[in-house]
Amino acid sequence: MHTGSFIDGEWFAPKSTTKVTNLNPANTSEVLAEFPAATAADVQRAVEGAKRAFLEWREVPAPQRARVIWRATEIARARVEELATMLCREEGKILAEARGEINKGISVLEYYAGAGFRLQGRTLPAEGKNVFTYTIRRPLGVVGLITPWNFPWAIPVWKVAPALVAGNTCVLKPSEITPGTASLMVEIFQEAGLPAGCLQLVVGYGEEVGKAIVDHPDVHAISFTGSTETGRLVYSQAGKRGAKVTCELGGKNAVIALADADPDAVVAAVLNGAFGSTGQRCTATSRLLVHESLAGRITEALVEGARALKVGPGMDPTSTMGPIVDAQQFESVLGYMKLGKTEAECLIGGGKAAGLEQGYFVEPTVFAGVSPDARIFQEEIFGPALSICTIKTLDEALRYANSVRYGLTSSVYTRDVYEAMRFVEGVETGMVHVNEPTVGGEAQLPFGGIKATGIGDREMSEDGLNFFTEQKTVFVNFDEGAKRDFNR
Ligand code: NDP
């Protein structure tokens, strides 16, 4: 792994005295790598190089650009274990989940490689006779990509691949917590034959490097994933100078189990949604709204399921839940667990995992009797803490589900198609599942949320590609000699 930044096809060590220290959250005495932090001057150089590279990359026919993405797909597939190991060691998720994330990113690469052969506009009828009107999609130029730590492979991939295939050049700033996986991703694109300057990597801190990208007048679009607070700041700063922006932010997702739900299916979905990836997914299930007739049985099974989880280092194949990502998140999650004990009944967990003091390990935690007004019900915890609240009707469930500021994803368990469809229509989230967990996204499907979760276009799918393009509407008049009525 390279431990610097990557500009104009070369790895280099920024001349800063500040370091980005890449720690293993499962063993905080293990320093995986130290990256010299990039600076605003490095961003300037990265943008200038990306501007130069854009002039040539935009002229490469889209199917040829797509073949670079395709080669990256093949290289990534041959390096799954290496990528998953890096991801597991720097982010903490267990190896099986890390492999799952790498494979998800590979699907995204496959999808966008194919999309390069279908960069399509529309043909539409014109008002005038013998006038041909159609649209084409053109790249934006240099785009800035700012990504978080929780999916250090999948999120950079689902921004970089559509941006490149559409003909843009990219300046990527990964989270300073997980620069190793991003560095491997850049290596893969380099090996795939991506020309120098098309993908610039700047490893540094958000306040300096992130801000410099957001404020740079030659960065035409910003695609950001992270917290709602930072996202809103990024949106307003970039918006002020007229850049195009999309932000995918926090979530507080609910599973609703109605009276006719299959209890075993609910339990399996909620255990995975709440504790998978240590609850550090933006699509995590952090609330269960369960019909009172099923509450006892389902709650008991969830507590048993949480008890059966084996918390431990992600690299240990017997572990089923890894650590929290860093000291700040660890303190924040423990703070919410402490708060939860004052707001509701803590049925299991609620603190640090015993015997694992070498890392940021917490217990899988279940709170019952949670009031919809409680902070643990309303605020994003981003850790393995589930809040359970009972409901009597679908209307009550919808009211509680919609009472939070976020709107990413939701799920209803029922066999009643009327209730399912009423839920689909009434719930305020960008993605809705019926008899499915809240988690998951697929390359071909739009991903994102509403309310405090999302600003701008959806990611992945055709929408994710369209964000990185602008449309040009073309009028071609071939009515030689005839007069056109320009007042029509
Ligand atoms: P942040 O929003 O702080 O960071 C996301 C990215 O933005 C990082 O690369 C960060 O850099 C960068 N950044 C920070 N400040 C600025 C700035 N002023 N201008 C431009 N870029 C900036 O999220 P965190 O990673 O700190 O996580 C905190 C919370 O965010 C979590 O508790 C969770 O609630 C939420 N979150 C949501 C995610 C989602 O997918 N919806 C993913 C991850 C987090 P740096 O790493 O250097 O600070």
Side-chain angles (χ1 to χ4, degrees):
M1 176 191 41
H2 291 91
T3 52
S5 290
F6 182 75
I7 295 182
D8 296 345
E10 284 181 13
W11 292 94
F12 74 104
K15 289 193 188 64
S16 119
T17 50
T18 318
K19 295 253 181 290
V20 169
T21 304
N22 193 9
L23 279 186
N24 180 351
N27 179 359
T28 56
S29 61
E30 188 187 348
V31 176
L32 301 171
E34 283 201 319
F35 289 68
T39 62
D42 296 315
V43 171
Q44 178 62 29
R45 202 159 69 78
V47 174
E48 280 167 12
K51 256 177 85 176
R52 282 191 300 275
F54 175 65
L55 299 178
E56 293 193 8
W57 184 241
R58 70 176 175 186
E59 300 302 332
V60 175
Q64 285 188 39
R65 295 198 295 256
R67 287 190 187 100
V68 175
I69 310 291
W70 192 257
R71 283 196 293 277
T73 311
E74 294 297 313
I75 297 164
R77 211 191 300 284
R79 292 174 71 171
V80 169
E81 281 309 303
E82 180 196 355
L83 287 161
T85 303
M86 178 75 245
L87 201 166
C88 170
R89 292 180 75 211
E90 73 174 357
E91 197 269 352
K93 66 183 63 168
I94 59 169
L95 205 48
E97 292 169 337
R99 280 192 199 104
E101 180 181 338
I102 303 302
N103 286 321
K104 177 73 69 187
I106 288 174
S107 302
V108 173
L109 289 169
E110 285 172 331
Y111 174 79
Y112 283 118
F117 290 81
R118 295 187 302 273
L119 271 187
Q120 55 200 359
R122 287 172 293 165
T123 306
L124 296 155
E127 287 277 8
K129 190 175 158 223
N130 289 338
V131 178
F132 178 42
T133 44
Y134 65 102
T135 67
I136 50 175
R137 290 200 170 268
R138 302 297 297 154
L140 302 172
V142 179
V143 297
L145 313 175
I146 300 176
T147 56
W149 45 264
N150 65 336
F151 284 94
W153 161 258
I155 296 178
V157 162
W158 83 46
K159 294 183 191 299
V160 166
L164 287 176
V165 88
N168 303 279
T169 53
C170 311
V171 178
L172 168 67
K173 193 212 94 62
S175 165
E176 100 269 350
I177 300 171
T178 52
T181 314
S183 165
L184 290 182
M185 186 196 74
V186 169
E187 261 181 52
I188 287 171
F189 276 104
Q190 190 188 12
E191 199 183 324
L194 186 69
C198 290
L199 175 56
Q200 316 275 53
L201 175 75
V202 277
V203 176
Y205 290 94
E207 301 83 45
E208 179 165 0
V209 165
K211 189 173 178 311
I213 294 172
V214 169
D215 289 343
H216 201 294
D218 292 328
V219 175
H220 297 282
I222 301 286
S223 178
F224 173 91
T225 303
S227 64
T228 298
E229 289 62 37
T230 311
R232 287 184 171 172
L233 184 74
V234 164
Y235 182 70
S236 61
Q237 288 299 112
K240 245 189 254 171
R241 61 174 184 81
K244 196 174 180 185
V245 189
T246 182
C247 294
E248 145 63 11
L249 311 169
K252 188 70 185 175
N253 314 299
V255 164
I256 284 78
L258 297 179
D260 65 342
D262 171 353
D264 294 340
V266 173
V267 170
V270 173
L271 283 174
N272 179 278
F275 305 125
S277 298
T278 323
Q280 299 179 115
R281 294 188 274 215
C282 50
T283 55
T285 307
S286 53
R287 300 179 293 156
L288 169 63
L289 308 178
V290 55
H291 191 269
E292 55 187 5
S293 63
L294 294 177
R297 176 178 170 186
I298 287 182
T299 303
E300 207 173 297
L302 285 171
V303 171
E304 280 319 301
R307 202 187 313 281
L309 289 171
K310 182 166 180 282
V311 180
M315 289 302 291
D316 176 345
T318 66
S319 299
T320 50
M321 193 180 97
I324 294 291
V325 76
D326 75 349
Q328 197 182 332
Q329 285 295 117
F330 184 56
E331 289 310 321
S332 166
V333 170
L334 288 173
Y336 274 111
M337 287 178 171
K338 194 169 161 207
L339 172 72
K341 290 181 198 162
T342 68
E343 290 188 319
E345 188 187 354
C346 182
L347 300 180
I348 188 166
K352 292 181 189 172
L356 289 164
E357 286 72 24
Q358 77 279 16
Y360 301 124
F361 293 98
V362 301
E363 298 171 301
T365 298
V366 178
F367 294 109
V370 183
S371 153
D373 299 327
R375 281 183 56 200
I376 56 166
F377 190 91
Q378 291 289 327
E379 297 174 20
E380 185 180 45
I381 298 173
F382 232 58
L386 175 71
S387 292
I388 305 179
C389 161
T390 53
I391 44 117
K392 290 189 175 64
T393 63
L394 173 64
D395 287 329
E396 189 184 15
L398 272 170
R399 204 165 57 246
Y400 295 164
N402 291 341
S403 69
V404 300
R405 69 178 185 137
Y406 299 106
L408 183 56
T409 174
S410 56
S411 159
V412 67
Y413 277 78
T414 180
R415 293 181 172 92
D416 183 330
V417 70
Y418 298 100
E419 297 278 83
M421 291 310 291
R422 265 201 327 120
F423 182 79
V424 167
E425 291 297 321
V427 75
E428 294 167 359
T429 55
M431 296 178 285
V432 190
H433 298 261
V434 177
N435 297 321
E436 281 234 335
T438 56
V439 296
E442 298 186 14
Q444 71 284 10
L445 297 170
F447 183 93
I450 58 174
K451 293 161 75 175
T453 294
I455 312 173
D457 291 5
R458 295 288 189 270
E459 297 200 87
M460 297 204 273
S461 74
E462 201 180 340
D463 296 24
L465 182 66
N466 288 346
F467 172 76
F468 291 109
T469 67
E470 59 193 0
Q471 288 199 69
K472 195 175 275 185
T473 305
V474 186
F475 299 73
V476 181
N477 188 322
F478 57 96
D479 205 23
E480 205 172 354
K483 281 201 184 126
R484 165 127 187 238
D485 178 1
F486 291 107
N487 293 324
R488 284 194 64 198

